[in-house]
Amino acid sequence: MASARDIERELESFYRDYIDLFNREEVEEFLRYFASPYVSISGARGINVIANDAGHASDFRRIMAALRSRGWVRSEIVKIKTWAMDENVGMILADVIRRKSDNSILEEIRACYLVRREAQAWKIATITEVKPPFRGPGDIAR
């Protein structure tokens, strides 16, 4: 059995790979990091169950085009905190900066993910943004 710390290191590696694929806009590979379906939870939009099917790739391409139209060129991880909840379930809290081509900050995001191991691969089951001034799980400073 893997230790909690081993699982937490796996989760951190998973998240770093996820952001790398996001930055490279490798849509099909990126979407493999999500369960099918997965859930997006927002205070403003409520609960959104996303099928993560073939149509999702075109939706994601539109999202990326919208980000690029606002000047986005890459996202950088500022902070990651992971928690093992059992051998096949974990939580990730991440602070990410989205940068423009002049290296200025487009936006800063804190997101919380519940992930589940499926067929030996971690998958995002839920995603939600943690809005300032709230800190989210672990009460970790921004």
Side-chain angles (χ1 to χ4, degrees), residues 2-135:
S3 72
R5 187 62 199 130
D6 289 341
I7 293 167
E8 290 163 358
R9 281 192 290 265
E10 284 179 30
L11 295 173
E12 183 172 335
S13 178
F14 164 83
Y15 190 76
R16 289 186 184 286
D17 290 346
Y18 163 84
I19 290 296
D20 183 53
L21 289 170
F22 183 90
N23 283 333
R24 294 192 327 239
E25 298 183 57
E26 294 182 18
V27 176
E28 285 75 16
E29 285 294 314
F30 175 78
L31 294 178
R32 288 187 190 141
Y33 280 63
F34 289 85
S36 186
Y38 71 95
V39 177
S40 173
I41 302 171
S42 165
R45 293 183 309 269
I47 297 172
N48 188 15
V49 177
I50 301 158
N52 195 18
D53 57 12
H56 189 215
S58 62
D59 291 342
F60 184 72
R61 283 186 186 92
R62 276 194 300 278
I63 290 167
M64 295 306 291
L67 270 176
R68 281 192 310 279
S69 75
R70 293 174 46 217
W72 175 85
V73 295
R74 74 182 177 285
S75 296
E76 298 173 1
I77 298 168
V78 175
K79 185 183 301 181
I80 302 173
K81 175 65 179 151
T82 61
W83 295 270
M85 300 170 94
D86 77 21
E87 286 187 291
N88 296 304
V89 177
M91 182 180 283
I92 301 168
L93 181 73
D95 290 341
V96 173
I97 293 175
R98 290 184 175 160
R99 295 237 182 233
K100 295 181 177 184
S101 60
D102 66 0
N103 211 34
S104 65
I105 296 173
L106 174 65
E107 58 193 359
E108 297 177 60
I109 297 169
R110 173 169 277 188
C112 184
Y113 307 80
L114 281 175
V115 296
R116 180 177 182 278
R117 192 187 320 258
E118 296 179 10
Q120 304 304 314
W122 289 103
K123 304 279 183 168
I124 295 169
T126 67
I127 184 171
T128 189
E129 186 175 356
V130 180
K131 300 268 188 180
F134 302 101
R135 293 181 173 195

